[in-house]
Amino acid sequence: MTDSQQETTVLTSQDLAPAQPSSQLLQRYQDSLMGVFGTPQQVLVRGSGARVWDADGREYLDMLGGIAVNALGHAHPLITSVLTSQQATLGHISNLFTSPTQIACAEKLLQLAQAPAGSAVFFANSGSEANEAALKAVLRHRQSSGKGRILALEGSFHGRTLGALSLTHKAAYREPFGELIGGVDFLAPNDISALEAAFADDDVAGVILEPIQGEAGVKPIDDAYLLRVRELTRATGALMVLDEVQTGVGRTGDWFRFQAVADGAAQPDLMTLAKGLGSGFPVGAMVGFGPQASTLLSAGQHGTTFGGNPLATAAALATLHAIETSGLLQNVQQIGAQIATGLQAIPQVTEVRQYGLHIGVDLADIAAPDLVTTARERHGLIINATGEKTLRLAPPLNLTVEEAELFLSRLTSAIADLTASQATSTASKDHS
Ligand SMILES: *Cc1c(COP(=O)(O)O)cnc(C)c1O
């Protein structure tokens, strides 16, 4: 072995990208990254469980979890050891080959989803890509059935790729790009008569929806609505696609949200997953329920280079294993309830929508984006606003009682701080 090869084996990413104060790193960011995300809130350098540290050494309690992704928190030892050993054994092989991890991961997902015989999984790298696969399956069905319409919901978010974007309601995300996939109609969520009317002329190829709308501020879809979608799609041969990218993999206290609805009676034809599935490693999946839904895309009609590689499926297997063997579904229910109770006692909180650790909080008298900034800059707390009035929380599924208490106390201090500074600025305005 040459000297340079030996050196390479002891390099760390810190050697390749040395630490600097946040201000300098953010300047380099401005000069080298595209502005699609605006300015990042902080440069983060290290994490452990529900804590992260920034480049200036400040500690935060992370109640956003990389947007519902870090199911086991930062630097979980199981994920670290499984990924490290997998990378040292076999990292990537392409889908011209398969691996034991890929097969075991597909089997585990089917088992946890209580999928019937003939069900099957397609692995992708992200939520958008899982939804692209589902949309392609719906388009196959549209082509063969001659039924032209695809239904989605107002308030939906299905991703930023062109197909997923066609199904995403927010005009500001779609309209800059002109024509997307045609034939998509957006219905008002939970309006059963509008749903029935949309099916009246038997021209629906598929319906795609989130069981709880995450980006819209954790807005639940009624059980009755989900069941009616299931009945109507079944009766007309249309496909029901549930986007469980945010709600799936234990986030709401069930493995998948549809399992909490009427004992699984709203089991879809296709379900998409990503976010928490790899506990931080990028991995997405589409689950087809039953042989018909699982064979809509035949050999050659879809594919991916990275999707389902040994590293990604090892991360997913380890995540599912940890949730199952550490009783995390139960923890999610308990800690979620603890947080909801605490939030309800805060005067500025007008509504809490809590489904396990998938939590939306409506506020009065203070702007949610201002609270996010104050909490982060002055109270060591990372939270997220989905709108002017609404916070979203998506902490790790293994959050502890003590961490939940710490969250409530830091949030309360941040609210008091913001309220006091608003009072001061109003008072100084009155003087001027
Ligand atoms: C985040 C999200 C997506 C998009 O996932 P990406 O990994 O960002 O492509 C799609 N659907 C839902 C419900 C999401 O929350």
Side-chain angles (χ1 to χ4, degrees), residues 153-157 160 165-180 186:
L153 296 186
E154 292 170 5
S156 63
F157 182 84
R160 304 289 201 146
L165 191 58
S166 310
L167 305 164
T168 292
H169 181 239
K170 199 171 177 177
Y173 292 168
R174 273 185 297 118
E175 282 175 358
F177 305 99
E179 200 178 324
L180 300 171
F186 293 97

Side-chain angles (χ1 to χ4, degrees), residues 43 58 90 106 119 127 184 245 288 294 297 308 318 320 322 384 422-423:
V43 184
R58 292 195 296 176
L90 186 66
S119 299
V184 179
V245 167
S294 301
L297 296 171
L320 298 171
N384 171 243
Q422 278 177 353

Side-chain angles (χ1 to χ4, degrees), residues 311-360:
L311 274 173
T313 47
L317 265 179
T319 303
L320 298 171
H321 175 83
I323 294 172
E324 192 168 43
T325 57
S326 309
L328 292 188
L329 295 183
Q330 211 193 343
N331 190 65
V332 164
Q333 306 269 19
Q334 279 169 5
I335 303 295
Q338 179 194 346
I339 289 174
T341 307
L343 286 169
Q344 272 145 0
I346 298 174
Q348 288 84 355
V349 169
T350 57
E351 186 173 291
V352 180
R353 293 177 294 278
Q354 180 253 328
Y355 305 88
L357 286 172
H358 189 42
I359 304 173

